[in-house]
Amino acid sequence: MSRVRTRGPISFGSAVLLSVLALLATLTGCGAGQVSQTASQASAVNGYSGRAGDVEVRNAAIAYAGQADNGAIYRAGQTAPLNMTLVNVGIAADRLVSVSSPVAAGGQIQGDGSIGAAQSITVGDSDSQADAAAQAARTINVTLVGLKQDIKAGLNYPVVLTFERGGVLNARLPIGYPTGPLAERSAKN
């Protein structure tokens, strides 16, 4: 028959040593991910998503304008186009009737903002794969005019979209992710 030896209670010094070792093991895990595999990847859906009544607003963003001038994508006084997809998931037609923002003097809708039942429209240039089906649908242009301040990348800006049936949607739109030759060149570096 074998005997099991038991020891007495852990001494204070041993308890402190075990606590320090446990703390060190925990802290060394915090350094993981400093250079992660996903550090250079962009989100598949960059923009804001929301809903007003039966209208879903997908991947909404202020269009990226190319090189930033002293950190500003758009300067005060300029016009900023918006990109998004509007999808009517209801059984009745709806219509985008206005766009506004506290950071702009006004908003403009160029084109017919009507969205038929179970239909979608593209606002601006939408290059995402998720919006490929919407590309076959109508495209309209929506812009913020007379910007009151510089628009900078990395920040979200309040934009109010008003629909005839769906009502008001208070959104916070980011600057869109760059696409095209400039983005491809950056990805290779």
Side-chain angles (χ1 to χ4, degrees):
M1 196 178 328
S2 63
R3 284 190 191 183
V4 176
R5 293 177 70 183
T6 60
R7 295 184 183 205
I10 298 176
S11 69
F12 178 74
S14 297
V16 169
L17 179 62
L18 287 174
S19 296
V20 168
L21 289 174
L23 180 63
L24 287 174
T26 302
L27 291 177
T28 55
C30 291
Q34 293 287 331
V35 182
S36 69
Q37 292 175 342
T38 59
S40 62
Q41 294 178 357
S43 170
V45 178
N46 185 41
Y48 169 88
S49 293
R51 188 172 178 152
D54 287 331
V55 177
E56 293 181 357
V57 176
R58 297 180 183 168
N59 200 22
I62 298 170
Y64 181 78
Q67 297 293 336
D69 179 21
N70 292 330
I73 301 297
Y74 296 99
R75 306 295 281 167
Q78 290 184 319
T79 298
L82 305 182
N83 293 334
M84 67 188 84
T85 301
L86 303 176
V87 180
N88 184 348
V89 295
I91 58 172
D94 207 334
R95 182 170 66 96
L96 177 64
V97 293
S98 71
V99 61
S100 63
S101 174
V103 301
Q108 287 183 337
I109 301 170
Q110 297 173 324
D112 182 5
S114 298
I115 314 159
Q119 299 290 316
S120 66
I121 60 174
T122 300
V123 175
D125 297 324
S126 184
D127 292 330
S128 76
Q129 293 295 337
D131 295 330
Q135 290 291 346
R138 272 183 311 107
T139 299
I140 64 171
N141 292 309
V142 176
T143 55
L144 298 177
V145 295
L147 294 175
K148 298 177 182 179
Q149 67 185 56
D150 290 350
I151 302 295
K152 299 181 178 184
L155 300 175
N156 292 330
Y157 294 91
V159 174
V160 179
L161 301 170
T162 304
F163 297 90
E164 191 171 68
R165 296 177 59 88
V168 175
L169 177 62
N170 292 300
R172 295 204 51 89
L173 303 188
I175 299 296
Y177 190 76
T179 59
L182 177 65
E184 291 167 8
R185 201 170 44 239
S186 296
K188 291 178 183 177
N189 292 334

